[in-house]
Amino acid sequence: AQSVSQHNHHVILSEAASLELGCNYSYGGTVNLFWYVQYPGQHLQLLLKYFSGDPLVKGIKGFEAEFIKSKFSFNLRKPSVQWSDTAEYFCAVRREYGNKLVFGAGTILRVKS
Amino acid sequence: NAGVTQTPKFQVLKTGQSMTLQCAQDMNHNSMYWYRQDPGMGLRLIYYSASEGTTDKGEVPNGYNVSRLNKREFSLRLESAAPSQTSVYFCASTAGPYNSPLHFGNGTRLTVT
């Protein structure tokens, strides 16, 4: 069964620091990859997605992620975080043409102002 | 356009009681999902419905049943609630299921005492 690993459960950064959140998955076939964000008290929202093509994808609010197939990774990055980026971030993977979206355990990001 | 609507938002049950969580989407999506979210465990898929008339088990189906009433509605039933089912439940839908992201509802916070 496919699984998704997020390396850090809690990350604390100061404003303007750079962010990188790790995500690795176990499935060996073609996959669709997603990052979702959950702001405090809200539901999950899509940050960005990768289906095919350029492995560097850009999402909303200045976030980007790079798909490295050889490393089974899809790390999320942001050059300069803001206090409003405080949230929980989830990586998710779905087999191409599959029905199930499998989530990682999430990373709670706290940005200090 | 309401998107994905879940009711109720909060519920407290006693062990052994039953209840149904309701979910409806107005985006004409084919696929619908029920997830539970627990701290440190991310989102885990309970059941999903790839299309009207079909339902399938996810990662953690025990203790739950579902009904895809029509294309819009997908309900989750707890026949005999247990404290282990205390969680936040999210309904989601997608047009795909293949290359489309999930759209989430606002969640139902369930406490079983």
Side-chain angles (χ1 to χ4, degrees), chain A residues 4-77:
Chain A
V4 181
S5 298
Q6 292 184 238
H7 310 305
N8 307 98
H9 190 54
H10 283 95
V11 173
I12 302 174
L13 295 173
S14 297
E15 275 193 309
S18 63
L19 169 72
E20 181 160 2
L21 301 182
C23 173
N24 286 88
Y25 63 94
S26 64
Y27 181 65
T30 302
V31 294
N32 304 142
L33 299 156
F34 306 83
W35 275 98
Y36 283 85
V37 60
Q38 186 178 32
Y39 298 104
Q42 298 187 25
H43 64 281
L44 277 77
Q45 304 169 43
L46 182 68
L47 261 184
L48 47 80
K49 60 185 185 289
Y50 172 80
F51 293 142
S52 63
D54 188 344
L56 184 63
V57 293
K58 296 189 183 299
I60 60 172
K61 303 185 180 184
F63 286 92
E64 64 179 32
E66 184 176 14
F67 170 50
I68 303 179
K69 189 174 182 179
S70 61
K71 295 184 178 181
F72 300 91
S73 70
F74 189 55
N75 292 354
L76 181 71
R77 299 195 293 248

